Amino acid sequence: MDKWFNNNNFAKILALAVSVLLWAMVHSNDVTTTPTTNTSIEPRAIDNVKIEPYGIDTSKYVLTSMSKTEVEMQVRGQRSVLTSVFTDEYKVRLDLSNVSPGTTTLPLSHVVPKGVEFVSMEPSSITVTIEELSTKDYDVDIITTGTPAEGHAAGTPVVTPNGPVKVTLPDSQLAAVGKVQGTVNVDGATDNVSEKRVELVAYDLDGNEIQGAVIEPATVSVDIPISEQFTKVPFKVQYKGQLPEGLTLAKVEANVNEVTLFGNQEAIAGIESYSGVTLDLSTLKEAGTETVKVDLTPPPGFEKIEPSSVELSVTVVSSEESTISEKVIRNVPVTLQEPGGSFTASITRPQSGKKDITISGPSDMLDNVDVSDINLVADAKNLKEGSHEVSLKVEAPDYVTVKNSADDLKVTIQIKDNSEETIVPPTQPETKPDEGDGNEPPEEGTEEDPDSGSNEGNNGENTENESDVNDSPTGTNVTP
């Protein structure tokens, strides 16, 4: 052993071993401890994984029903992997590439993320129904919603392309299509709605939208004209004021014979003529022909009138030069002013409630006078019950003269009090012949004034005959 210690090589080896031992002791605390890795495997359930169909020929077939649309998938793996994976990375797929029309049961396939092991899924197969697609042509309906601006109306839509469209659906749904429709909003519109792209929708017979309908083309271009609502009505010149003494109105001609009124539908439906053209005769001072401009204003309910004014060519002559003629206005209705309260009135003569009125005036002016220019009024407001003869109040244009006599301008009015109630006399007890005072009861029809019934009938007959005479259109009541 002494030889080993005295040997130089042994001493070197020993020194080296001691050095390595000392280095290991010094650096033993610097070594990082490796954590223990959790390699345990855990199960997990993935709920509501959607089934994704693929492979169907959409030009020929359509998947109309699936017994299930979602599955529950059972997987397992390390916790760190399971917690780092999103749910949408789990896939369940349904291969429809080899199916034909009808109902069949098909298996499901799955895709799971890397590091996750698939265990099972429920269900693992589903039942599907495949239908064949059919196509049919349908005309396009365009409807409008909303209301155009005041005084405007929407016209008939113009569709481009103009023709039927093709609707593709399963056979079972195609028969239920009621219409193909597009909608255009025209609320507040004042100008035409032009080249509006409108999406088309298929509806069933109950008006419900049919989901999944393929429409070709899917959209159309629609033009909707927006126009102002208007009506054209005639007018008559109204007159006010008086001509100077010695002058006569010979002729009045307007540069137009009708006006255009713009307004809403309700106002348009309620107007037949325009009465806003008024000539003030007091402004005409001498004989001759002159042009008078009359400004026009829209009547209530209308926004605009065209033209905004009319020109009247007015001819005035001296009374000596005026050509006077006569005209008979047939069947002028009598306006009855009711008495009011419980009283009612009716015209009994003439029975028609109309009269023929003869007027005279300048020949050219009479041409424009008709039944609407004559107003006959019978005032029954203060009459009592019974029959009354009432003189008519006649309203006619100032430039004409009514030629009927005062007797001819009368009507007969019957006033009735509806408040009177019919009183039924109480029933008298029957008296036997051997009872009472011995007087026989009077027979029916032998009461006081037995002839009153026949007289009343005669009076009615006379009244009817008298009415027939007064209603004669060629009666002698017209003064020459």
Side-chain angles (χ1 to χ4, degrees):
M1 172 123 1
D2 291 338
K3 289 182 180 182
W4 288 358
F5 285 108
N6 292 328
N7 187 296
N8 188 33
N9 290 331
F10 177 78
K12 291 179 180 180
I13 293 173
L14 182 61
L16 178 59
V18 172
S19 298
V20 171
L21 180 60
L22 292 174
W23 181 88
M25 294 176 62
V26 170
H27 293 281
S28 61
N29 294 330
D30 296 336
V31 178
T32 302
T33 303
T34 302
T36 302
T37 303
N38 185 3
T39 59
S40 62
I41 302 299
E42 295 183 358
R44 175 160 296 188
I46 310 300
D47 297 326
N48 305 322
V49 181
K50 292 187 179 297
I51 300 174
E52 300 175 4
Y54 72 97
I56 190 171
D57 187 350
T58 57
S59 64
K60 297 180 180 180
Y61 309 111
V62 63
L63 174 63
T64 57
S65 69
M66 300 168 57
S67 60
K68 291 286 186 177
T69 58
E70 298 176 343
V71 302
E72 179 183 284
M73 185 182 293
Q74 300 292 334
V75 297
R76 64 183 180 181
Q78 295 181 4
R79 178 184 297 178
S80 59
V81 176
L82 295 177
T83 56
S84 63
V85 175
F86 294 104
T87 303
D88 58 5
E89 295 185 54
Y90 296 91
K91 308 289 184 181
V92 175
R93 311 191 71 189
L94 174 66
D95 187 2
L96 301 176
S97 57
N98 296 317
V99 297
S100 57
T103 300
T104 185
T105 300
L106 299 173
L108 300 173
S109 62
H110 63 273
V111 177
V112 296
K114 185 178 180 180
V116 177
E117 181 183 354
F118 172 79
V119 177
S120 65
M121 61 182 171
E122 180 61 33
S124 60
S125 62
I126 62 171
T127 300
V128 297
T129 300
I130 305 296
E131 287 192 47
E132 192 169 5
L133 292 173
S134 295
T135 300
K136 187 177 179 180
D137 290 344
Y138 289 88
D139 292 329
V140 174
D141 292 333
I142 299 296
I143 64 170
T144 58
T145 59
T147 304
E150 183 74 18
H152 293 73
T156 302
V158 178
V159 180
T160 305
N162 183 20
V165 296
K166 297 184 181 299
V167 178
T168 301
L169 277 169
D171 288 334
S172 61
Q173 297 182 39
L174 191 62
V177 176
K179 61 184 175 181
V180 176
Q181 182 176 286
T183 303
V184 179
N185 187 356
V186 296
D187 196 41
T190 57
D191 297 322
N192 295 343
V193 178
S194 302
E195 298 183 358
K196 178 75 172 180
R197 299 302 301 180
V198 178
E199 183 178 358
L200 300 180
V201 179
Y203 294 91
D204 63 19
L205 298 175
D206 295 326
N208 302 312
E209 181 179 348
I210 299 177
Q211 300 293 335
V214 178
I215 304 175
E216 181 61 36
T219 62
V220 293
S221 177
V222 178
D223 295 321
I224 299 180
I226 303 295
S227 60
E228 292 182 281
Q229 290 181 294
F230 65 88
T231 183
K232 294 180 179 292
V233 294
F235 67 87
K236 285 191 173 183
V237 179
Q238 309 294 318
Y239 299 91
K240 68 178 182 178
Q242 298 290 334
L243 287 171
E245 187 176 353
L247 295 181
T248 299
L249 190 63
K251 182 187 292 186
V252 176
E253 294 181 331
N255 63 332
V256 295
N257 56 14
E258 65 181 8
V259 295
T260 303
L261 298 173
F262 298 83
N264 57 49
Q265 193 67 33
E266 182 179 357
I268 288 175
I271 193 166
E272 296 181 354
S273 63
Y274 177 67
S275 59
V277 181
T278 303
L279 174 62
D280 188 353
L281 298 177
S282 65
T283 61
L284 306 174
K285 303 300 184 182
E286 58 186 17
T289 300
E290 64 177 284
T291 299
V292 178
K293 180 180 179 181
V294 179
D295 293 329
L296 307 182
T297 57
F302 292 89
E303 298 178 345
K304 186 173 65 172
I305 185 172
E306 290 183 356
S308 59
S309 64
V310 298
E311 292 182 352
L312 304 178
S313 177
V314 183
T315 300
V316 176
V317 298
S318 64
S319 300
E320 293 80 5
E321 298 176 357
S322 176
T323 301
I324 302 298
S325 61
E326 289 188 357
K327 181 177 182 180
V328 178
I329 309 297
R330 303 286 184 186
N331 297 320
V332 180
V334 176
T335 301
L336 184 59
Q337 294 182 338
E338 295 280 355
S342 61
F343 294 93
T344 58
S346 61
I347 298 175
T348 58
R349 190 183 64 183
Q351 293 181 349
S352 65
K354 299 178 180 179
K355 300 283 287 185
D356 293 343
I357 303 298
T358 301
I359 59 174
S360 67
S363 301
D364 291 332
M365 298 299 295
L366 291 187
D367 292 340
N368 297 323
V369 180
D370 58 27
V371 68
S372 65
D373 297 303
I374 309 297
N375 189 23
L376 303 179
V377 179
D379 187 358
K381 290 186 291 187
N382 297 318
L383 299 181
K384 303 299 182 183
E385 186 174 19
S387 182
H388 305 271
E389 189 174 58
V390 177
S391 296
L392 296 175
K393 177 183 178 182
V394 182
E395 298 175 355
D398 292 339
Y399 53 83
V400 302
T401 302
V402 177
K403 304 296 290 184
N404 296 62
S405 66
D407 288 339
D408 189 40
L409 295 176
K410 290 182 180 180
V411 295
T412 301
I413 298 176
Q414 184 70 34
I415 305 297
K416 181 179 179 181
D417 187 356
N418 295 318
S419 65
E420 295 184 357
E421 297 180 359
T422 302
I423 301 176
V424 180
T427 304
Q428 298 293 332
E430 183 179 355
T431 304
K432 296 182 179 180
D434 57 351
E435 296 179 358
D437 57 5
N439 295 328
E440 294 292 331
E443 297 179 1
E444 287 190 35
T446 61
E447 297 177 355
E448 190 177 351
D449 193 7
D451 295 333
S452 61
S454 60
N455 289 340
E456 184 179 350
N458 292 336
N459 290 338
E461 182 177 351
N462 293 338
T463 301
E464 182 177 357
N465 292 336
E466 184 179 356
S467 174
D468 292 341
V469 172
N470 283 324
D471 281 344
S472 173
T474 58
T476 59
N477 293 328
V478 178
T479 58

